[in-house]
Amino acid sequence: LAPWIPVVGLEIHAQISSNSKLFSGSQVQFAAPPNSLVSFFDASLPGTLPVLNRRCVEAAVMTGLALNCSINKKSLFDRKHYFYADLPAGYQITQQRVPIAVNGRLSYSLCIDNKMSQMVTKTVRIKQIQLEQDSGKSLHDDTRSQTLVDLNRAGVGLMEVVMEPDMCCGEEAAAAVRELQLILQTLGSSQAVMAEGQLRVDANVSVHHPGEPYGVRTEVKNINSIRFLAKAVDYEIQRQIEELENGGIILNETRAFDSKLGCTVPMRDKEGKQDYRFMPEPNLPPLILYDAKSLPANMNHQQVINIDWIHERLPDLPSVKREKLVEQYGILPEHSFTLLSEDGLAEFFESVVKQTQMKPKKVIGWILNDLLSYLKEHSLTVKESPVSSFLLADLLNLLEKKEISSTAAKQVLAELWKGEGKTPLEIVKEQKLELLQDQKELEQICQAVIDGQENE
Amino acid sequence: AALKDGLRSQVSAALKEGRVTPTELCQRCLALIKSTKFLNAYITVAEETALKQAEESEERYKRGQPLGVLDGIPVAVKDNFNTAGIETTCASNMLKGYISPYNATVVQKLLDQGAVLLGKTNLDEFAMGSGSTDGVFGPVRNPWSYSKQYKEKSVPKSHSEDEESNWVITGGSSGGSAAAVSSFTCFAALGSDTGGSTRNPAAHCGVVGLKPTYGLISRHGLIPLVNSMDVPGILTRCVDDAAVLLGSLAGHDPKDSTTVQDDFTPFELPDLSDVSKLSIGIPKEYHAPGLSSEILALWSKAADLFKNAGAKVVEVSLPHTRYSIVCYHVLCTAEVASNMARFDGLEYGHRSDMKDSTEGMYAATRREGFNDVVRGRILSGNYFLLKQNYEKYFVKAQKVRRLIANDFVKVFRSGVDILLTPTTLSDAAPYTEFIQEDNRTRSAQDDILTQAANMAGLPAINVPTALSERGLPVGLQFIGRSFQEKQLLTVAKWFEKQVQFPVIQLEEVKRHDSGVFQHQKFASFS
């Protein structure tokens, strides 16, 4: 049997982190009472007009720069028409002709063979980033034959990030999305929490034999976590291979991932071959961005966006942060990945390092093995840790000064988790865990033990 | 002495001096609206709120603190502008009973300056039409149908025939606003202009109709027909008044991203005495098929008027004029199809009782809510926007639009200041004759002289010129350079002074008149 090459591309919608929506002043907020964050424009009241939100444009520029894209100094807005209950205007404002950023790339890392010891770096090309409106939400109430529509989300700004089909499996897709998520969170352009719908991923999957053209692709939707993304992609690849090997064909269709059953199923009622009748959005002039060179001298600062200005103020991206951690502290690359994958963990680690004489290479073990596993076990975030960096540093100092053994240290840590406010030193004294350094005293104790044994 | 003597502060002066109060003015207008109900110019009369506004205005005058020239002045607004708390219907079943929660920017500006909003005027449904005959509240009748001037000239064909069957249309689509101004029920009215919808009825009703430069006045709150061509239009009885309205409405609106950022300074119109520095262009393509010999003659006479006064009058060419109808058809219907997509019965407006499915409900709602004209344009527009047709039609039309706009650029660059053209092909047609052809045909015919200005975004104005042989108004149009409204209106004002267009002689107005309306001083407010 000839080998199969799976091909995976992704369309990712990231909700922009901003106070108000892309084209109107209503607030952006998760889980607000239904229809409480809806402006006249969001409800498509006749006569209302879109006004572009500056912060959303800045978020898209930041993201484009972080993904090594070319920022289009002139981009355009279009209307994409279709009828659906959660799309009040009957069209979505998007960027179909000329999006704000194009031709970027994202590097991400994978562990080989599930071991954290060997990491390999891959790249996926970013086709484009476009600004567009989010839709509202519709909930189907089949028992009462009705649909409930909540427009709170209608009009929230989205960045659609299109990743070219450079990935080959679920693991790669998951790693790429994870890295994108970290980047967005570092930039602050999106909080990118999948569980709150701030990051939505659709996967385009196809398979083909080497040397042959790409196969028919399917689109997989309804993926609610990064873990499910990997599962969904892998399942779909398998399904397509099996289908083709059994003489079947792959339909160019949209499928939904069923997380309970762990499989993809055809989606009923989704568009099929829809003609969106794209038309330029006549109420929004072309979006013009400037850089240091093209910025006219007497331009009102409030009215323009300077790409170079934004570039200069980009924070360190995760990849840079990781490099710095490895260089500064002599930890392994895999360690730096884990440090950055938990919100606040890297800061915690650095804080401990500052407060202790123990070498960072040793501290890292305590952070990644002891602290992290405890937090995971109790579903706590770093911020919620009952053991502060101060306390941990204190403990590690005792260990470093050889006042306690490492076994004793673990015992103290277990006690510290209880969060009863005791210091490590107090616990050591309480539980009599001090290491005896006095030779003579040790001899006496040993002698006593030997004596005790002889008596039995 | 004529109505349009251009003296400023006539009604305004009277209000300031206490010779008349805002409440009196308002009451007179409301009474006149009632007795001219047969014109069907108004869809909604906001009697209570108008009187309240008049009262508040009166308080301000008593304190000696009027907000400006417009304080206490009764105005009317076309029913496709959003007015908070007052029904906005667009003369469509789709929005019958729709009460908007917000005011259009232009409405807000009028109210902020103390104007008294009498009500919403009738139009063609969703502003689609050139007769104001295709709205759900019925057609608007041209006040001149009942004028002494018209009646004198019309020969009744038989005893049974009377005014009822002889009445003429207002033109459209802002017919209600034009009729309201023409019949003295208000001092100024807002219309909209997409292909001529303010200038056309202005010409037929013998009033001044100004289409400002695209981007000068905010469209926020104007229910759109064609977003890239729509402008709010101004209808008044004299050019000076149009300048006052323009001054109170123009300027950047952050809520409308298509308004220009540049500061706008309101201006007073000078009394032009010397036109020798002026260059008037006469576009030969506007000698369009179907242009009545009467209007042709008037146009010629007007050109001579300028020439004899020392202006330079030259024939110019706008070669792509003949493509503008087709181009407009494609672009207009495409935008209509898009703009009307929001009317699904879900959030506001008419919702059908059909409950089988969402799609079923949408389809029934739209079938019930829209008239044939609207639905026809939606179907056409969707066709042109299909992926396989987009390049052939929409993009092509955009390119042709650019050519049409460039025609004007070239002409203005060659030294011409203002263009002089007819506004309509003939005087107002009798209703029974007008409805012999369908809306699309009529629009295509009637828009030819006005539409290109919308394509190019240029300012244009209808100035009532003379009465036709049938005793009906005929107007001429001036088209100016972008954002050069001051020059445009200055020339228009000079022309207005020269032609001395007669005052309409209406029985109803005479009856209500206790000097307020027929008295020359109060016909205009500025």
Side-chain angles (χ1 to χ4, degrees), chain A residues 271-332:
Chain A
E271 306 99 49
K273 282 291 173 188
Q274 266 244 10
D275 191 325
Y276 293 110
R277 291 166 280 123
F278 286 98
M279 186 185 91
E281 170 54 69
N283 293 316
L284 292 169
L287 174 59
I288 309 289
L289 304 174
Y290 297 90
D291 56 23
K293 244 190 268 165
S294 64
L295 188 64
N298 55 345
M299 192 67 104
N300 182 354
H301 194 51
Q302 300 273 25
Q303 291 293 330
V304 299
I305 287 182
N306 182 340
I307 300 168
D308 288 338
W309 193 89
I310 294 178
H311 207 153
E312 283 157 26
R313 284 158 186 75
L314 285 179
D316 277 347
L317 293 182
S319 51
V320 172
K321 276 197 205 165
R322 286 185 206 114
E323 272 171 32
K324 282 190 177 169
L325 284 169
V326 168
E327 210 188 289
Q328 194 174 351
Y329 300 110
I331 57 177
L332 296 174

Side-chain angles (χ1 to χ4, degrees), chain A residues 40-41 43-52 78-79 81 83-91 97 145 147 149 151 269 275-285 303, chain B residues 82 95 98 101-102 214 219-224 227-228 254-258 261 334-335 338-339 341-344 346-348 358 362 366 382 385-388 390 394 398:
Chain A
F40 299 152
F41 174 78
S44 80
L45 294 197
T48 52
L49 299 169
V51 181
L52 184 56
D78 305 286
R79 293 183 181 180
H81 300 87
F83 286 100
Y84 205 69
D86 61 20
L87 196 67
Y91 58 84
R97 287 169 294 157
S145 300
T147 302
V149 182
L151 296 180
D269 139 49
D275 191 325
Y276 293 110
R277 291 166 280 123
F278 286 98
M279 186 185 91
E281 170 54 69
N283 293 316
L284 292 169
Q303 291 293 330
Chain B
N82 278 270
L95 289 177
Y98 174 68
Y102 75 102
Y214 182 88
R219 290 182 298 111
H220 167 74
L222 166 59
I223 297 175
N227 288 288
S228 63
K255 295 193 186 123
D256 179 352
S257 305
T258 60
Q261 309 264 355
E335 287 215 35
S338 178
N339 291 334
R342 65 187 59 211
F343 296 104
D344 52 20
L346 273 182
E347 299 84 13
Y348 48 81
T358 312
Y362 281 5
R366 290 161 72 81
N382 278 329
L385 289 177
L386 288 175
K387 202 162 173 193
Q388 74 249 33
Y390 184 73
F394 189 85
Q398 292 280 45

